Amino acid sequence: MDSLETIHIYHLNDVHSHFHNWPQMSRFIREKTALHQKEGASTFTFDLGDFIDRSHPLTDATKGRANVQLLNEMGVDAVTIGNNEGITMAHKDLEHLYEKAEFDVLVSNLNHLDGRPFAKRSIIYETPYGTKIGVFGVTAPYYQFYKQLDWEVTDPYEAVAEMVEILASKVDILICLSHIGERFDREIAKRHSELTIILGAHTHHLFQHGEYVNESLLGATGKYAEYIGHMKLKVDEHHQVVSRRAGVIRTDQLAVTYQDAQFSEDYMKKGKELLNKPIFHNEFNLSNDLFQTTELDRFFGRALLEYTGADCAMFNSGIFLGSLRRGYVTSEQLHELLPHPINVATVEVEGSFLKHIYEKTKAEDWPKIEVRGLGFRGTLMGKMHFERLYEKADGTIFIGNRRLRRDETYRLATLDMFTFGFFFPELAELPKKYYMPELIRDVFAWYGIQSFGSLSS
């Protein structure tokens, strides 16, 4: 018999409610867990956050609780949260998200405003052989977003340092569940040699064979349930790790049954049924066109102005993944039209810079830009639409019925993805307000009710 103890660690990250491979993934981990236990080995399974994504109808309809049930069924031991769990849901929905969780939720840098931790900061597991494994989690610090949702998120570097100080002397193996990104994971590995393993997420990076940085072994599985991560550790009689090996399993190569193939379709159908509730009666056909301004654009532009009271609005036609016909509009239709976990924002912008933005987005190739991440769930940027901001034939730009003044400050309503600095670096530094937890489809629904009346009234 092998005198060394074997510990298996399976990990997932950034699944984003992509359930096409979920049944075979779940079965694989359950079967491996049972096999390892039969062999006398210990097994732990962790999820690194962004398992939830409100772009899926069932996730949206159940406020993420359907996702929690899937993790229960898989037999996950612990999770940390990502930004999709943390800042795309109302405070009360996140607070109650894990009420029926049969696993540990670990976040060391998120608190209620009164200082109470959102979840456990850390936990120590002990194997049948007496090996102690300390695990803690950290999540990406979107300070302004969390603050507006009545949470306090703290510096993750400080949180890691605190957890290492508390746990390192008490455990034989120390694991960080990180939903912050590859650069952060590499940096904390350099700073803290006590970290045995760092499991990473958020930046959708993939380490097919793991990577060593300082004394730490890093693991990450990309995105969308494409891979399962696996680490195998050997521990001697003194509970010292004598070997570590990392790899990934491609989920599209796992055995699939007929029931597996039906699962994703059934989950989508169930979510749509739950969202099939009429909100208002639309009196017009609102068609979509990626490259032309349509009535759908104008409707949403007016919605942004009414909702925020801004001077003008800017958004891209690519956010619309369909059209709205005249008739009853349901939550399911709006979810299909605007599945993005994107919020509305207002930014204080000087006229000179507003003119710069307007001219920049007139570039011929702008509508064909492929947009990835930032909460966007479409494909192409599409035409940039401006509401209450327009150019006359002589080239003069107006806001409403007034000529734009270069030195005057205007309040611009837009989508949060344009405020992060990727498309317009200067916007990231300007004063802004985010409207949360309402997503852009909620603002669309609000304006529909304002325009046509509520069906519940």
Side-chain angles (χ1 to χ4, degrees):
M1 181 178 175
D2 194 340
S3 61
L4 298 177
E5 178 186 5
T6 301
I7 299 172
H8 294 273
I9 295 171
Y10 292 94
H11 55 101
L12 321 169
N13 62 266
D14 297 285
V15 172
H16 284 279
S17 293
H18 282 248
F19 298 135
H20 51 289
N21 291 327
W22 183 257
Q24 52 267 41
M25 291 175 66
S26 183
R27 182 171 58 252
F28 174 84
I29 287 181
R30 293 196 308 271
E31 289 176 351
K32 285 294 184 181
T33 298
L35 175 63
H36 297 326
Q37 289 176 345
K38 187 176 180 180
E39 296 170 342
S42 298
T43 305
F44 296 91
T45 302
F46 303 117
D47 179 76
L48 285 302
D50 278 6
F51 183 71
I52 283 171
D53 194 314
R54 288 182 59 185
S55 62
H56 193 288
L58 189 59
T59 299
D60 198 49
T62 65
K63 302 185 187 301
R65 298 187 186 194
N67 297 60
V68 171
Q69 182 56 34
L70 290 179
L71 292 173
N72 285 342
E73 293 167 3
M74 175 183 268
V76 167
D77 292 284
V79 307
T80 196
I81 70 166
N83 46 290
N84 273 267
E85 287 89 1
I87 61 175
T88 70
M89 294 190 290
H91 182 105
K92 62 181 178 61
D93 294 330
L94 177 58
E95 193 167 22
H96 298 296
L97 174 61
Y98 297 106
E99 284 182 337
K100 294 186 178 180
E102 297 168 7
F103 48 83
D104 296 305
V105 181
L106 307 175
V107 192
S108 62
N109 66 322
L110 184 63
N111 305 311
H112 294 267
L113 294 182
D114 61 7
R116 289 178 297 121
F118 159 70
K120 294 178 182 177
R121 295 189 184 278
S122 65
I123 193 166
I124 297 176
Y125 299 110
E126 186 169 346
T127 71
Y129 293 87
T131 300
K132 294 181 180 179
I133 303 172
V135 187
F136 66 94
V138 283
T139 196
Y142 288 88
Y143 295 106
Q144 187 169 351
F145 283 89
Y146 276 111
K147 183 178 180 180
Q148 289 194 217
L149 290 168
D150 294 329
W151 296 105
E152 178 197 41
V153 67
T154 63
D155 186 319
Y157 286 106
E158 294 180 3
V160 170
E162 181 184 5
M163 291 298 101
V164 169
E165 183 177 358
I166 292 172
L167 295 170
S169 62
K170 300 177 182 178
V171 301
D172 307 298
I173 296 170
L174 186 54
I175 300 174
C176 175
L177 310 182
S178 163
H179 192 97
I180 300 181
E182 182 179 352
R183 288 184 181 179
F184 174 85
D185 297 348
R186 292 182 182 279
E187 180 60 28
I188 61 171
K190 293 174 184 176
R191 295 187 187 188
H192 303 286
S193 60
E194 302 93 336
L195 292 169
T196 315
I197 290 170
I198 301 169
L199 301 178
H202 189 51
T203 47
H204 297 183
H205 53 293
L206 172 66
F207 293 147
Q208 294 208 20
H209 305 290
E211 286 202 16
Y212 281 97
V213 177
N214 196 7
E215 300 297 319
S216 303
L217 177 58
L218 277 58
T221 65
K223 62 180 180 179
Y224 302 161
E226 294 170 348
Y227 295 92
I228 299 168
H230 176 226
M231 291 187 176
K232 184 177 180 180
L233 286 68
K234 289 286 188 177
V235 180
D236 67 16
E237 65 272 19
H238 303 294
H239 309 299
Q240 299 297 306
V241 177
V242 295
S243 71
R244 287 171 285 178
R245 190 176 67 198
V248 295
I249 300 99
R250 284 190 54 155
T251 56
D252 62 1
Q253 295 182 354
L254 298 175
V256 180
T257 68
Y258 171 78
Q259 290 80 7
D260 293 343
Q262 190 67 30
F263 174 88
S264 181
E265 184 178 329
D266 289 346
Y267 245 54
M268 184 70 71
K269 181 180 178 182
K270 184 177 179 181
K272 289 184 175 184
E273 288 174 351
L274 290 173
L275 290 175
N276 191 24
K277 300 172 183 177
I279 306 171
F280 61 88
H281 189 279
N282 175 33
E283 300 296 337
F284 309 101
N285 285 324
L286 300 176
S287 61
N288 177 41
D289 189 316
L290 267 176
F291 306 114
Q292 301 292 330
T293 298
T294 69
E295 284 303 317
L296 183 59
D297 295 310
R298 295 187 180 97
F299 185 91
F300 186 63
R302 293 192 296 270
L304 289 179
L305 294 180
E306 288 290 327
Y307 196 75
T308 64
D311 298 304
C312 56
M314 174 188 77
F315 60 94
N316 60 310
S317 292
I319 61 171
F320 300 113
L321 305 191
S323 301
L324 274 186
R325 297 184 62 84
R326 184 177 184 274
Y328 291 106
V329 176
T330 66
S331 295
E332 189 274 324
Q333 286 176 295
L334 290 187
H335 187 280
E336 190 171 326
L337 180 72
L338 294 163
H340 328 275
I342 290 176
N343 303 99
V344 173
T346 53
V347 190
E348 305 295 325
V349 184
E350 280 195 359
S352 57
F353 182 58
L354 195 52
K355 183 175 185 291
H356 164 73
I357 292 174
Y358 179 79
E359 292 176 344
K360 179 178 181 178
T361 59
K362 288 169 61 180
E364 186 177 343
D365 61 345
W366 182 271
K368 298 178 182 178
I369 294 173
E370 291 190 14
V371 184
R372 297 179 181 177
L374 306 174
F376 187 70
R377 300 296 183 254
T379 304
L380 298 180
M381 175 73 73
K383 176 182 172 63
M384 189 65 80
H385 178 73
F386 290 85
E387 188 71 21
R388 206 184 287 165
L389 186 151
Y390 58 94
E391 184 176 10
K392 288 195 171 184
D394 63 359
T396 306
I397 297 177
F398 275 71
I399 292 184
N401 59 2
R402 297 174 57 219
R403 184 193 298 264
L404 181 142
R405 295 183 179 277
R406 296 181 61 86
D407 58 351
E408 190 169 332
T409 299
Y410 299 94
R411 194 156 165 256
L412 171 69
T414 189
L415 313 181
D416 64 16
M417 71 177 192
F418 292 126
T419 71
F420 300 147
F422 187 81
F423 298 105
F424 309 106
E426 299 89 342
L427 285 185
E429 306 302 323
L430 295 176
K432 61 184 68 69
K433 174 184 178 181
Y434 294 104
Y435 291 77
M436 305 177 71
E438 299 82 10
L439 303 181
I440 54 176
R441 60 177 171 269
D442 299 317
V443 174
F444 193 104
W446 173 86
Y447 187 64
I449 292 172
Q450 299 300 308
S451 302
F452 305 118
S454 173
L455 295 178
S456 61
S457 60

